[in-house]
Amino acid sequence: MLTVEGLCARHGAVNALADVSFTAAAGAVTAVLGANGAGKTTLLRTVSGLHPASGGAVHFDGQALTGRPAEAMAPLGLAHVPEGRGVVTELTVEENLRLGGLVRGRVTPGDLDVAYDLFPVLADRRAQVAGTLSGGERQMLVIGRALMARPRMLLLDEPSLGLAPRVVSQIFTLLRRLVTERDLSVLLVEQNAASALAVADHGVVLHLGRVVADTEASRLADDDQLRHAYLGF
Ligand code: ATP
């Protein structure tokens, strides 16, 4: 579904991505793992047109993405949920969700129901301003907001960052539900490799901007050498 071929990207003199290739299949959770500075965020930003590629290509359902601006992604069916859980703190939960539908021009009650069904806590807090939400609830809100654009693939940057293990497992369980029940595909960038591999079908490990492993998630989790060298668990 999403193919990355020989992708290169720079930050000034830093080669943040060097010849990165992998495929994120339809109907699967693909986890991109690696330590701080491995190039994970740069990879997602380059795929979604927020950072320029200096070489290589990205295709989504056969269409070339490289060189397209970030605004072109939503109509193609891609939604990027960046690191940092940016919500509009003065707006209510429901108003924030509605913002996610703007790229489609309208929001139906059914769209809101999908988000509320997946995240019942958001339904309970629909009239509350987003600034009062906990970190976990904000993460649910940014994922819910991305779903309002009815994407076919979600690109998620470090959703677990700073959250309690119980909340991380709740969010990752939901990602699995999105794939099985809503026919979504997920490209998940994570430093929390143990939790990500528990939910992922496939794993790609980046180290200093290069792919050092690309295989089934269960194989990565079972590979002691690789886990110790690159995944920190
Ligand atoms: P983290 O988990 O810390 O976000 P990451 O795996 O997402 O790490 P990137 O943020 O993509 O890694 O960074 C890849 C490399 O590019 C690192 O060496 C980083 O220092 C460098 N880099 C990232 N952003 C910039 C920037 N804006 N200017 C200069 N160098 C940058």
Side-chain angles (χ1 to χ4, degrees):
M1 181 175 217
L2 183 87
T3 56
V4 174
E5 296 164 75
L7 196 63
C8 300
R10 311 182 62 83
H11 290 290
V14 177
N15 261 331
L17 298 177
D19 196 19
V20 169
S21 300
F22 68 92
T23 297
V29 176
T30 303
V32 176
L33 311 167
N36 240 325
K40 306 180 299 297
T41 295
T42 305
L43 172 68
L44 274 203
R45 289 177 53 81
T46 308
V47 165
S48 56
L50 293 165
H51 188 84
S54 54
V58 181
H59 288 85
F60 181 60
D61 271 352
Q63 304 208 58
L65 298 188
T66 345
R68 294 195 197 220
E71 310 81 77
M73 301 302 154
L76 290 172
L78 276 167
H80 181 180
V81 181
E83 203 176 335
R85 309 187 187 117
V87 295
V88 186
T89 51
E90 302 83 1
L91 295 182
T92 65
V93 165
E94 184 148 320
E95 287 164 341
N96 269 278
L97 285 175
R98 287 181 178 280
L99 287 179
L102 287 182
V103 291
R104 278 186 29 250
R106 71 200 181 95
V107 172
T108 65
D111 291 329
L112 288 167
D113 288 343
V114 167
Y116 290 147
D117 174 51
L118 284 164
F119 303 111
V121 68
L122 296 183
D124 297 342
R125 306 203 188 297
R126 67 177 77 194
Q128 196 170 315
V129 291
T132 60
L133 298 180
S134 70
E137 290 162 354
R138 280 191 195 209
Q139 187 59 53
M140 294 175 196
L141 180 54
V142 292
I143 294 174
R145 185 176 63 192
L147 295 178
M148 302 296 282
R150 297 193 194 168
R152 286 178 296 133
M153 179 174 259
L154 267 187
L155 310 179
L156 282 170
D157 198 349
E158 300 257 10
S160 81
L161 201 68
L163 299 181
R166 184 183 49 83
V167 182
V168 173
S169 114
Q170 213 182 338
I171 287 172
F172 282 9
T173 303
L174 263 146
L175 292 183
R176 194 75 247 166
R177 263 186 76 192
L178 285 173
V179 168
T180 49
E181 295 174 17
R182 302 235 135 243
D183 208 18
L184 223 86
S185 310
V186 173
L187 182 61
L188 169 68
V189 155
E190 263 297 340
Q191 213 164 302
N192 183 346
S195 298
L197 287 175
V199 75
D201 300 288
H202 198 86
V204 176
V205 181
L206 287 184
H207 179 65
L208 300 177
R210 293 184 182 274
V211 174
V212 292
D214 175 0
T215 185
E216 286 161 34
S218 54
R219 280 190 175 214
L220 283 183
D222 290 343
D223 187 330
D224 292 345
Q225 216 177 342
L226 202 111
R227 280 196 293 118
H228 295 152
Y230 301 112
L231 303 178
F233 77 102

